[in-house]
Amino acid sequence: MTTSCIIRGLGHCVPENRLTNADLERMCDTNDEWITTRTGIKERRIASEGETTVSLSHQAALMALDNAGMKAEDLTHILVATFTPDAYIPSAACMLADRLGIKGRTCMDISAACSGFLFALETARAYVCLHPEAKILVTATDVVSSRVDYSDRSICVLFGDGAGAAIITGAGADFPNGSGRVLDVMLATDGSAHDLLTVKGGGSGSPVKPGGIVSRDFFVQMNGREVYKYAVRAMSSICREMLEKHGLTNDEVDVFIPHQANLRIIDAVGTRLEMPTEKIFTNVHKYGNTSAASVIIALSEARQEGVIKDGNLVLLSTFGGGFTWGSALVRF
Ligand code: ACO
C-alpha cells in the first residue's frame, strides 16, 4: 500500500557564527583554492557556546509550526534525526518536547547519519498510517562541529552545523495551500561499509574510561575517496529507481535537491541522472555538509525563496554513514 503524507510546514535554523575558508587557512594546513575546487564550500556555520542540537531544532521547529499555522500543543509525535544529540540520555526528541513545553507525546531520535531526514520522514509516514490524526514534528539536526577535529584538514573543511524541521500529517481530504504531498520515500543501507565513515569513540564498542583520553576515534573519520564513489553510485541509482517506479522522466522533475555534501558529488550525481543544472538546488557553498540537516535545510530554503513553486515536483536524495541512502518525491 502506498500512503502519502503531507508536509504542512517547513523551517530551518543555522548558527550565526561563520567559519570561512580564510579562517580555516589560519587553523590548519589548507587553502581556499583546494577547498573550493574539491568541495565548492566557501563557508559553514558553527554553533557557539550554548547552541546545541536541541536549541537549533527548537528554532527550526518554531519556524515550521508557524509555517504550518500550528502550535506545539497540536503535536502528537516528535522525531529528531541526528548523530549529535545533546546527550546519550535523554533523547534529543524528549528534550525538544520539553523546550516546546509539551509532555506525553511519542518522542524519539533516529540515527541514520546524513540520511537522517529521509529515514525520519519515512517513519513519520508509517506513523500516519497507524494514527491518521497524527501531527508529527520531524527535525533533522546536527552540530557536526562537536565531532570534528579542527586539526584534521581532510575532515574539518567539509562540515557545518544546522537544523531543519517539517510538520507532517496524514493525507486527509484537505490539502492546505503551500503544503507538499510526499508521494514516496525509498531507503537503503549497507552496513558492510561501516568503517568508511564513522565516529566510534564513546560507543559501547569503544567505551570511555574514567580519566581516559579523547582519541581520534571521538571525531569523524572517513575514507573520502571511497565515500565519494559510493555516494555518487548510490544516490544516482536510487533516484533513477524512484523515477522509473513512478513512470517519470527528468523532464517532469522541477527541482532536484541532493544531499549537500560537496559540489563535486552533486555535479557527478546530476551528470549521471542527466539532470539539467538549473534544476539542481545547492546551498553547500554557504553551509558545508550539515549531515542530517542538509536536505531539509535546502528544502525549506528553496521553498522560502520561491525556487519551489506550487505544483512543482521535487526529488530529494541523501547519503551518509552506515552507509545509508535514500530518495523521496514530493509534490507541492
Ligand atoms: N587542504 C589541502 N590539502 C588537503 C586537504 C585540505 N583540506 N585535505 C586533504 N588534502 C590533501 C591530501 O593530504 C592529499 O595530499 P597528498 O596527495 O600529498 O597525499 C591531497 O590533498 C589529495 O587528497 P585526496 O583525498 O586524494 O583528495 P580528493 O581529491 O579525493 O578530495 C575529498 C578529498 C574532498 C574529501 C573527496 O574525497 C570527497 O569529496 N569525498 C567525499 C567525502 C564527503 O563529502 N563526505 C561527507 C560525508 S558523507 C556524505 O555526506 C556524502
Side-chain angles (χ1 to χ4, degrees):
M1 179 174 78
T2 303
T3 303
S4 63
C5 63
I6 304 285
I7 299 178
R8 300 223 170 201
L10 289 165
H12 63 278
C13 171
V14 291
E16 286 293 314
N17 181 30
R18 289 177 154 83
L19 182 69
T20 64
N21 291 351
D23 296 328
L24 284 164
E25 284 180 8
R26 290 188 285 275
M27 294 164 66
C28 63
D29 182 14
T30 189
N31 57 76
D32 176 56
E33 196 270 333
W34 193 97
I35 302 171
T36 306
T37 53
R38 297 297 210 291
T39 74
I41 301 167
K42 298 304 270 185
E43 61 179 38
R44 41 323 267 135
R45 302 299 184 92
I46 303 295
S48 300
E49 179 120 20
E51 275 181 318
T52 67
T53 289
V54 173
S55 74
L56 294 174
S57 295
H58 183 222
Q59 293 308 312
L62 293 178
M63 181 176 166
L65 283 166
D66 185 55
N67 189 226
M70 285 168 53
K71 295 190 177 59
E73 302 85 73
D74 299 329
L75 297 171
T76 56
H77 299 67
I78 298 181
L79 308 176
V80 178
T82 186
F83 86 94
T84 56
D86 289 28
Y88 281 109
I89 301 174
S91 67
C94 284
M95 292 171 79
L96 178 56
D98 184 48
R99 287 256 176 151
L100 289 165
I102 54 176
K103 289 182 184 171
R105 278 38 173 210
T106 301
C107 300
M108 65 181 185
D109 290 359
I110 289 176
S111 172
C114 300
S115 295
F117 175 66
L118 290 188
F119 279 68
L121 181 63
E122 182 69 333
T123 309
R125 211 159 69 109
Y127 267 126
V128 298
C129 288
L130 287 168
H131 310 288
E133 302 309 316
K135 295 182 173 58
I136 304 175
L137 166 65
V138 170
T139 79
T141 306
D142 272 311
V143 178
V144 190
S145 62
S146 64
R147 290 300 189 138
V148 166
D149 172 1
Y150 283 89
S151 66
D152 181 351
R153 67 177 183 173
S154 69
I155 299 291
C156 71
V157 301
L158 302 174
F159 294 98
D161 303 333
I167 307 293
I168 308 294
T169 67
D174 79 313
F175 183 74
N177 273 349
S179 298
R181 191 179 294 274
V182 180
L183 304 176
D184 204 356
V185 179
M186 293 173 75
L187 304 174
T189 65
D190 176 3
S192 72
H194 60 91
D195 261 345
L196 295 177
L197 177 51
T198 180
V199 184
K200 290 180 183 157
S204 59
S206 311
V208 193
K209 306 241 172 17
I213 55 155
V214 175
S215 69
R216 280 171 50 106
D217 274 0
F218 281 79
F219 303 103
V220 176
Q221 305 290 317
M222 178 179 66
N223 180 327
R225 283 194 178 170
E226 292 308 314
V227 171
Y228 179 97
K229 284 189 278 186
Y230 206 122
V232 171
R233 270 200 314 269
M235 282 199 284
S236 25
S237 74
I238 205 161
C239 286
R240 207 173 289 125
E241 221 179 305
M242 177 66 94
L243 293 177
E244 277 169 19
K245 181 176 169 190
H246 291 269
L248 294 164
T249 64
N250 292 348
D251 291 346
E252 287 152 290
V253 174
D254 298 293
V255 181
F256 176 43
I257 301 182
H259 175 43
Q260 306 287 306
N262 75 52
L263 210 51
R264 281 201 310 178
I265 294 183
I266 293 171
D267 286 346
V269 172
T271 303
R272 282 191 173 213
L273 291 174
E274 296 177 43
M275 190 68 74
T277 317
E278 59 277 12
K279 289 189 178 186
I280 306 177
F281 183 83
T282 59
N283 60 14
V284 67
H285 55 286
K286 52 182 184 172
Y287 302 139
N289 180 351
T290 56
S291 185
S294 147
V295 289
I296 178 67
I297 292 177
L299 184 65
S300 176
E301 266 197 357
R303 190 66 175 138
Q304 192 183 39
E305 290 169 7
V307 175
I308 299 173
K309 299 174 182 59
D310 288 348
N312 276 181
L313 183 66
V314 179
L315 176 66
L316 300 162
S317 188
T318 60
F319 184 85
F323 288 143
T324 56
W325 65 100
S327 67
L329 265 183
V330 186
R331 172 74 73 186
F332 280 87

